[in-house]
Amino acid sequence: MDYQQLILTRLLEKYEESRHFYGDARVNRKVALKFNHKEFPWYDLERVEVKEAVHFAVKKLREKGMIKLKWMRFEEGNILEEVSLNLAQLESVYQLAGRKPKGDSLLEVHSRLAAIKKTVQIPWIEKFLKDSIEHLENTKSLPRYLPKEEETCHKFLSALAGIEEKGSDEMLERVFSRKYLGSSKEMERKVRSRLVTVIKEFFPLDKDLEDEVVLEYVGILKTSEDLLFRGPLEIDLLQERIDFAPFIFGTSLNTETIKRLIVRKLKVDKVITIENKASYLAYIKDNDRDKELAVYLAGFYSPVKKMFLEKIWNFIRVNSPETEFFHWGDIDLGGFKIFLQVQNIIPQVQPFLMDVETLRKYVVYGDLIEDNYRKKLTALLEKPEYRIFYPTIKEMLGLGVKLEQEAIEI
């Protein structure tokens, strides 16, 4: 083991966290490394060969003028108490430690952020870059959203630049990763989780959205997405009229079709969005639902599902405003949040089978709620947007259960 390099590295880590680095040290306090188990566990007094190797290393560093030594009282030359860094020799210390100065690394990150910011037009990326640059300038430290590891930080910033460059085009995640990060798996390995966090914060998006849905909002797709539905919908697609009424067992549309379609006819009494696939399939088995449009959401809707719902809503509110809209989801925190998401598009939507009566009827199939979950439920009673679910939430708290919609017979 290279004890000289190890000792200098630990000292530089302390220096980079000290007021000396940030330039606001009020006293000339030394940057010291104590030779105890917490700060330098490699210093093992029971192993003579290790102890002597450490002593040899610190003496060499002292000869080079990089550190000062302090021995334990009455143990001069036998037991080390601490070493302190010679701040006047920082450049030489960094070189011998084989470590890039933190100031240089921060300057490189700042330059990269500024370079991307000059060309960026996507608002959430611009805000992230602006906040990150301000944080760097004010604190001389990396913002919490940027990776500390240099290569990973570079990859992350390359992903942001890639999202800006591709604009509104959609790309499969592995294609995006290969084009902008150099390998089809780099996105998943090094960037995905942090990127999702930043998008949720700066886009902003609901913190409960699945990672795949979040990435879809910026045009990065895990796989090509299909939307499942059943109902007498007629559309125009590239000058062709298509009638889906004969598809009584349901059908699907892909992303490009949804983008290009124009709703031409939809004579229904009811539109219902359904959270879970098993419940959707059970619902559409009833062939007497000719006057209904049923849409499978798969949880929180993605951008393409949002586009489809907006097209349906915009057609119906003009041509048949008497049509009723419903959403059917789990009787739980997620189900309530998904309902509010649908309500953002369709203000008049009402919950379906998410009431007190349904909860009581199927309570034996419910899952018990824990204390932390109970606190989150209780907090919803203070939020007016959840008012429609107040009775159900109170019943959940009283019964101590939540209920997945698959338990409900339809």
Side-chain angles (χ1 to χ4, degrees):
M1 182 177 290
D2 188 339
Y3 287 110
Q4 288 190 53
Q5 188 177 66
L6 182 59
I7 291 165
L8 292 182
T9 297
R10 293 291 293 117
L11 281 167
L12 288 173
E13 288 172 349
K14 282 177 163 286
Y15 163 71
E16 290 173 351
E17 296 298 324
S18 73
R19 290 187 176 274
H20 290 286
F21 175 79
Y22 296 104
D24 59 356
R26 297 181 180 179
V27 295
N28 191 23
R29 180 176 294 175
K30 60 185 177 182
V31 177
L33 174 67
K34 294 185 179 301
F35 280 78
N36 54 34
H37 184 72
K38 180 180 179 181
E39 294 195 13
F40 201 81
W42 302 274
Y43 188 50
D44 188 348
L45 298 177
E46 300 299 321
R47 298 176 60 190
V48 177
E49 71 281 6
V50 171
K51 176 183 169 183
E52 290 181 349
V54 172
H55 288 180
F56 180 80
V58 297
K59 289 175 182 177
K60 283 293 184 182
L61 292 175
R62 181 177 60 182
E63 289 174 7
K64 295 171 183 177
M66 295 181 177
I67 64 171
K68 293 181 180 180
L69 305 185
K70 183 179 179 181
W71 301 93
M72 293 286 289
R73 191 178 183 186
F74 306 124
E75 295 288 351
E76 183 81 19
N78 185 38
I79 301 177
L80 279 166
E81 181 176 343
E82 68 176 30
V83 296
S84 56
L85 183 63
N86 182 356
L87 298 176
Q89 294 291 328
L90 278 174
E91 185 176 348
S92 299
V93 171
Y94 273 110
Q95 288 178 354
L96 186 58
R99 181 185 180 94
K100 179 184 288 188
K102 182 178 179 180
D104 292 354
S105 298
L106 292 178
L107 185 60
E108 289 179 8
V109 173
H110 185 280
S111 298
R112 185 84 193 280
L113 290 169
I116 298 174
K117 187 175 182 294
K118 286 181 180 179
T119 59
V120 76
Q121 294 183 351
I122 297 175
W124 70 266
I125 297 181
E126 185 176 21
K127 185 178 188 309
F128 170 76
L129 294 172
K130 179 177 178 292
D131 288 1
S132 296
I133 290 172
E134 289 178 355
H135 181 93
L136 271 171
E137 292 174 346
N138 294 333
T139 69
K140 286 190 176 181
S141 64
L142 279 178
R144 63 189 179 97
Y145 295 111
L146 287 179
K148 292 183 179 179
E149 202 274 322
E150 187 172 347
E151 181 188 0
T152 305
C153 186
H154 176 77
K155 298 283 186 183
F156 176 79
L157 295 178
S158 295
L160 291 182
I163 293 171
E164 172 67 29
E165 180 181 304
K166 75 174 187 61
S168 60
D169 292 343
E170 292 184 337
M171 298 179 71
L172 292 176
E173 183 177 332
R174 291 206 167 187
V175 175
F176 176 90
S177 182
R178 185 171 61 250
K179 181 174 182 179
Y180 294 108
L181 307 182
S183 165
S184 63
K185 296 182 179 180
E186 285 297 277
M187 176 79 164
E188 185 176 358
R189 288 173 176 169
K190 297 183 177 180
V191 174
R192 194 180 208 262
S193 177
R194 193 178 299 269
L195 181 59
V196 166
T197 300
V198 169
I199 296 170
K200 285 182 178 181
E201 182 68 26
F202 289 88
F203 200 92
L205 295 172
D206 192 297
K207 299 298 187 292
D208 292 327
L209 288 179
E210 296 289 335
D211 288 1
E212 290 181 13
V213 175
V214 172
L215 291 175
E216 286 173 7
Y217 272 89
V218 298
I220 301 174
L221 312 180
K222 189 71 174 177
T223 59
S224 181
E225 183 178 14
D226 293 330
L227 177 140
L228 278 61
F229 75 98
R230 175 184 184 265
L233 172 66
E234 288 188 27
I235 66 170
D236 280 350
L237 183 66
L238 304 177
Q239 286 82 51
E240 294 289 335
R241 181 64 58 91
I242 303 173
D243 182 6
F244 292 99
F247 293 85
I248 61 173
F249 302 109
T251 187
S252 65
L253 299 173
N254 63 24
T255 299
E256 286 303 314
T257 302
I258 292 171
K259 285 182 178 180
R260 298 168 185 265
L261 72 80
I262 300 172
V263 179
R264 289 303 183 194
K265 184 178 179 182
L266 183 59
K267 290 187 176 181
V268 293
D269 300 323
K270 174 182 175 181
V271 176
I272 183 168
T273 56
I274 301 173
E275 179 181 342
N276 298 310
K277 192 171 186 178
S279 298
Y280 163 77
L281 294 174
Y283 189 88
I284 66 172
K285 277 187 178 179
D286 186 346
N287 293 330
D288 294 331
R289 302 187 189 279
D290 296 336
K291 290 290 186 179
E292 294 185 18
L293 176 70
V295 181
Y296 167 53
L297 283 188
F300 290 98
Y301 57 64
S302 65
V304 69
K305 289 187 174 75
K306 178 183 179 183
M307 183 185 299
F308 181 79
L309 291 179
E310 287 174 337
K311 290 186 175 186
I312 296 298
W313 167 242
N314 289 333
F315 179 86
I316 284 181
R317 67 178 178 173
V318 173
N319 296 281
S320 54
E322 71 282 359
T323 299
E324 295 182 296
F325 284 84
F326 294 91
H327 172 73
W328 180 24
D330 295 333
I331 302 179
D332 64 9
L333 286 168
F336 300 152
K337 289 185 177 182
I338 293 169
F339 174 87
L340 292 186
Q341 192 189 40
V342 174
Q343 195 177 53
N344 287 334
I345 300 174
I346 306 166
Q348 68 191 49
V349 68
Q350 294 293 312
F352 178 75
L353 295 181
M354 300 175 73
D355 56 0
V356 171
E357 183 179 351
T358 302
L359 182 62
R360 289 174 177 171
K361 183 177 180 180
Y362 295 96
V363 65
V364 294
Y365 301 109
D367 298 315
L368 295 177
I369 59 177
E370 298 179 351
D371 290 343
N372 188 48
Y373 195 93
R374 178 180 290 274
K375 290 177 182 177
K376 293 180 179 179
L377 268 181
T378 304
L380 299 188
L381 297 175
E382 303 297 324
K383 299 180 179 181
E385 62 267 32
Y386 290 93
R387 185 178 293 108
I388 196 169
F389 292 114
Y390 282 178
T392 306
I393 292 170
K394 291 176 182 177
E395 189 70 14
M396 293 172 70
L397 292 169
L399 296 173
V401 299
K402 57 184 177 179
L403 184 68
E404 294 185 349
Q405 66 177 137
E406 291 92 338
I408 300 170
E409 294 182 4
I410 189 71

